[in-house]
Amino acid sequence: TLPFIAAKSAGDSGHDVVVWLWNEAVNLAREGVADHVTGVNLTPLSDVLMAVQLAGIPIWVCSACAVARGIQAEDLVAGAEIKGMPDYIAAVAQRERNVAF
């Protein structure tokens, strides 16, 4: 949940933001999963995800990680798309700062 909260806060502050999910985090972009995730003392992920989506913040899902977990584009929430490592590297290189969780 925290990376989505950070992304929304950064976007609200005027920063160019992309959420990059990899490893097991790619499951968070599956339709319906966020409905079952609430961190301790945190807003439910479904609410934070909706805020990120409404803000138009892109959610990128690692292609290799998605393949390994049987995730396809049609499994993803609105605003999420499968991207490869070259896309990730280009996004990092284009931005002055990066935050990783």
CSV table of all heavy atoms in Angstrom, one decimal, residues 44-72:
chain,number,residue,atom,x,y,z
A,44,PRO,N,-7.2,1.2,3.1
A,44,PRO,CA,-7.3,0.0,2.2
A,44,PRO,C,-6.7,0.3,0.8
A,44,PRO,O,-6.9,1.4,0.3
A,44,PRO,CB,-8.8,-0.3,2.1
A,44,PRO,CG,-9.4,0.3,3.4
A,44,PRO,CD,-8.6,1.5,3.6
A,45,LEU,N,-6.0,-0.7,0.3
A,45,LEU,CA,-5.4,-0.5,-1.0
A,45,LEU,C,-6.4,-0.2,-2.1
A,45,LEU,O,-6.1,0.6,-3.0
A,45,LEU,CB,-4.6,-1.8,-1.4
A,45,LEU,CG,-3.8,-1.7,-2.7
A,45,LEU,CD1,-2.9,-0.5,-2.8
A,45,LEU,CD2,-3.1,-3.0,-3.0
A,46,SER,N,-7.6,-0.7,-2.0
A,46,SER,CA,-8.6,-0.4,-3.0
A,46,SER,C,-8.8,1.1,-3.1
A,46,SER,O,-9.0,1.6,-4.2
A,46,SER,CB,-9.9,-1.2,-2.8
A,46,SER,OG,-10.4,-0.9,-1.5
A,47,ASP,N,-8.9,1.7,-2.0
A,47,ASP,CA,-9.1,3.2,-2.0
A,47,ASP,C,-7.9,4.0,-2.5
A,47,ASP,O,-8.1,4.9,-3.3
A,47,ASP,CB,-9.4,3.7,-0.6
A,47,ASP,CG,-10.7,3.2,0.0
A,47,ASP,OD1,-11.5,2.6,-0.8
A,47,ASP,OD2,-10.9,3.2,1.2
A,48,VAL,N,-6.7,3.5,-2.2
A,48,VAL,CA,-5.5,4.2,-2.6
A,48,VAL,C,-5.3,3.9,-4.1
A,48,VAL,O,-5.0,4.9,-4.9
A,48,VAL,CB,-4.3,3.7,-1.8
A,48,VAL,CG1,-3.0,4.4,-2.3
A,48,VAL,CG2,-4.5,4.0,-0.3
A,49,LEU,N,-5.5,2.7,-4.5
A,49,LEU,CA,-5.4,2.4,-6.0
A,49,LEU,C,-6.4,3.2,-6.8
A,49,LEU,O,-6.0,3.8,-7.8
A,49,LEU,CB,-5.7,0.9,-6.2
A,49,LEU,CG,-5.8,0.4,-7.6
A,49,LEU,CD1,-4.5,0.7,-8.4
A,49,LEU,CD2,-6.2,-1.0,-7.7
A,50,MET,N,-7.6,3.4,-6.3
A,50,MET,CA,-8.6,4.2,-7.0
A,50,MET,C,-8.1,5.7,-7.1
A,50,MET,O,-8.2,6.3,-8.2
A,50,MET,CB,-9.9,4.2,-6.3
A,50,MET,CG,-11.0,5.0,-7.1
A,50,MET,SD,-12.6,5.1,-6.3
A,50,MET,CE,-12.9,3.4,-5.8
A,51,ALA,N,-7.5,6.2,-6.1
A,51,ALA,CA,-7.0,7.6,-6.1
A,51,ALA,C,-5.8,7.7,-7.1
A,51,ALA,O,-5.8,8.7,-7.9
A,51,ALA,CB,-6.5,8.0,-4.7
A,52,VAL,N,-5.0,6.7,-7.2
A,52,VAL,CA,-3.9,6.7,-8.2
A,52,VAL,C,-4.4,6.6,-9.6
A,52,VAL,O,-4.0,7.3,-10.5
A,52,VAL,CB,-2.9,5.5,-7.9
A,52,VAL,CG1,-2.0,5.2,-9.1
A,52,VAL,CG2,-2.1,5.7,-6.6
A,53,GLN,N,-5.4,5.8,-9.8
A,53,GLN,CA,-6.1,5.7,-11.1
A,53,GLN,C,-6.7,7.0,-11.5
A,53,GLN,O,-6.6,7.4,-12.6
A,53,GLN,CB,-7.1,4.5,-11.1
A,53,GLN,CG,-6.5,3.1,-11.0
A,53,GLN,CD,-7.5,2.1,-10.7
A,53,GLN,OE1,-8.3,2.2,-9.8
A,53,GLN,NE2,-7.5,1.0,-11.6
A,54,LEU,N,-7.5,7.6,-10.6
A,54,LEU,CA,-8.1,8.8,-10.9
A,54,LEU,C,-7.2,10.0,-11.2
A,54,LEU,O,-7.5,10.9,-11.9
A,54,LEU,CB,-9.1,9.2,-9.7
A,54,LEU,CG,-10.3,8.4,-9.6
A,54,LEU,CD1,-11.1,8.7,-8.3
A,54,LEU,CD2,-11.2,8.5,-10.8
A,55,ALA,N,-6.0,9.9,-10.6
A,55,ALA,CA,-4.9,10.9,-10.8
A,55,ALA,C,-4.2,10.7,-12.1
A,55,ALA,O,-3.4,11.5,-12.6
A,55,ALA,CB,-3.9,10.9,-9.7
A,56,GLY,N,-4.5,9.5,-12.8
A,56,GLY,CA,-3.9,9.2,-14.1
A,56,GLY,C,-2.4,8.8,-14.0
A,56,GLY,O,-1.7,8.9,-14.9
A,57,ILE,N,-2.1,8.3,-12.8
A,57,ILE,CA,-0.7,7.8,-12.6
A,57,ILE,C,-0.6,6.4,-13.2
A,57,ILE,O,-1.3,5.5,-12.8
A,57,ILE,CB,-0.3,7.8,-11.1
A,57,ILE,CG1,-0.3,9.2,-10.5
A,57,ILE,CG2,1.0,7.1,-10.9
A,57,ILE,CD1,-0.2,9.3,-9.0
A,58,PRO,N,0.4,6.2,-14.2
A,58,PRO,CA,0.5,4.9,-14.8
A,58,PRO,C,1.0,3.9,-13.8
A,58,PRO,O,1.8,4.2,-12.9
A,58,PRO,CB,1.6,5.1,-15.9
A,58,PRO,CG,1.7,6.6,-16.0
A,58,PRO,CD,1.3,7.2,-14.7
A,59,ILE,N,0.5,2.7,-14.0
A,59,ILE,CA,0.9,1.5,-13.2
A,59,ILE,C,1.5,0.5,-14.2
A,59,ILE,O,0.8,0.0,-15.0
A,59,ILE,CB,-0.2,0.9,-12.4
A,59,ILE,CG1,-0.9,1.9,-11.5
A,59,ILE,CG2,0.2,-0.4,-11.6
A,59,ILE,CD1,-2.3,1.5,-11.0
A,60,TRP,N,2.8,0.3,-14.0
A,60,TRP,CA,3.5,-0.6,-14.9
A,60,TRP,C,3.8,-1.9,-14.2
A,60,TRP,O,4.3,-1.9,-13.1
A,60,TRP,CB,4.8,0.0,-15.4
A,60,TRP,CG,4.7,1.2,-16.3
A,60,TRP,CD1,3.5,1.8,-16.7
A,60,TRP,CD2,5.7,2.0,-16.9
A,60,TRP,NE1,3.7,2.8,-17.6
A,60,TRP,CE2,5.1,3.0,-17.7
A,60,TRP,CE3,7.1,1.9,-16.9
A,60,TRP,CZ2,5.8,3.9,-18.5
A,60,TRP,CZ3,7.8,2.8,-17.6
A,60,TRP,CH2,7.2,3.8,-18.4
A,61,VAL,N,3.6,-3.0,-14.9
A,61,VAL,CA,3.7,-4.3,-14.4
A,61,VAL,C,4.9,-5.0,-15.2
A,61,VAL,O,4.9,-5.0,-16.4
A,61,VAL,CB,2.5,-5.1,-14.6
A,61,VAL,CG1,2.7,-6.6,-14.1
A,61,VAL,CG2,1.3,-4.5,-13.8
A,62,CYS,N,5.9,-5.4,-14.5
A,62,CYS,CA,7.1,-6.1,-15.1
A,62,CYS,C,6.6,-7.2,-15.9
A,62,CYS,O,5.9,-8.1,-15.4
A,62,CYS,CB,8.0,-6.5,-14.0
A,62,CYS,SG,9.3,-7.7,-14.5
A,63,SER,N,7.0,-7.2,-17.2
A,63,SER,CA,6.6,-8.3,-18.1
A,63,SER,C,7.1,-9.7,-17.7
A,63,SER,O,6.3,-10.6,-17.7
A,63,SER,CB,7.0,-8.0,-19.5
A,63,SER,OG,8.4,-7.8,-19.6
A,64,ALA,N,8.3,-9.8,-17.3
A,64,ALA,CA,8.9,-11.1,-17.0
A,64,ALA,C,8.2,-11.6,-15.7
A,64,ALA,O,7.9,-12.8,-15.6
A,64,ALA,CB,10.4,-11.0,-16.8
A,65,CYS,N,7.9,-10.7,-14.8
A,65,CYS,CA,7.3,-11.1,-13.5
A,65,CYS,C,5.8,-11.5,-13.8
A,65,CYS,O,5.3,-12.4,-13.1
A,65,CYS,CB,7.3,-9.9,-12.5
A,65,CYS,SG,9.0,-9.3,-12.2
A,66,ALA,N,5.2,-10.8,-14.7
A,66,ALA,CA,3.8,-11.1,-15.0
A,66,ALA,C,3.7,-12.5,-15.7
A,66,ALA,O,2.9,-13.3,-15.3
A,66,ALA,CB,3.2,-10.1,-16.0
A,67,VAL,N,4.6,-12.8,-16.6
A,67,VAL,CA,4.7,-14.1,-17.3
A,67,VAL,C,4.9,-15.2,-16.2
A,67,VAL,O,4.2,-16.2,-16.3
A,67,VAL,CB,5.8,-14.1,-18.4
A,67,VAL,CG1,6.0,-15.5,-18.8
A,67,VAL,CG2,5.4,-13.2,-19.5
A,68,ALA,N,5.8,-15.0,-15.3
A,68,ALA,CA,6.1,-16.0,-14.3
A,68,ALA,C,4.9,-16.3,-13.4
A,68,ALA,O,4.8,-17.4,-12.8
A,68,ALA,CB,7.3,-15.5,-13.4
A,69,ARG,N,3.9,-15.3,-13.3
A,69,ARG,CA,2.8,-15.5,-12.4
A,69,ARG,C,1.5,-15.7,-13.2
A,69,ARG,O,0.4,-15.6,-12.7
A,69,ARG,CB,2.7,-14.3,-11.5
A,69,ARG,CG,3.8,-14.4,-10.5
A,69,ARG,CD,4.2,-13.1,-9.9
A,69,ARG,NE,5.3,-13.2,-9.0
A,69,ARG,CZ,6.6,-13.2,-9.4
A,69,ARG,NH1,6.9,-13.1,-10.7
A,69,ARG,NH2,7.6,-13.4,-8.5
A,70,GLY,N,1.6,-15.9,-14.5
A,70,GLY,CA,0.5,-16.2,-15.4
A,70,GLY,C,-0.5,-15.0,-15.5
A,70,GLY,O,-1.7,-15.1,-15.8
A,71,ILE,N,0.1,-13.8,-15.4
A,71,ILE,CA,-0.7,-12.5,-15.5
A,71,ILE,C,-0.7,-12.0,-16.9
A,71,ILE,O,0.4,-11.9,-17.5
A,71,ILE,CB,-0.2,-11.4,-14.6
A,71,ILE,CG1,-0.3,-11.9,-13.1
A,71,ILE,CG2,-1.0,-10.1,-14.8
A,71,ILE,CD1,0.3,-11.0,-12.1
A,72,GLN,N,-1.8,-11.7,-17.5
A,72,GLN,CA,-1.9,-11.2,-18.8
A,72,GLN,C,-2.6,-9.8,-18.8
A,72,GLN,O,-3.2,-9.5,-17.8
A,72,GLN,CB,-2.8,-12.1,-19.7
A,72,GLN,CG,-2.1,-13.5,-19.9
A,72,GLN,CD,-2.9,-14.4,-20.7
A,72,GLN,OE1,-3.9,-14.1,-21.3
A,72,GLN,NE2,-2.4,-15.7,-20.8
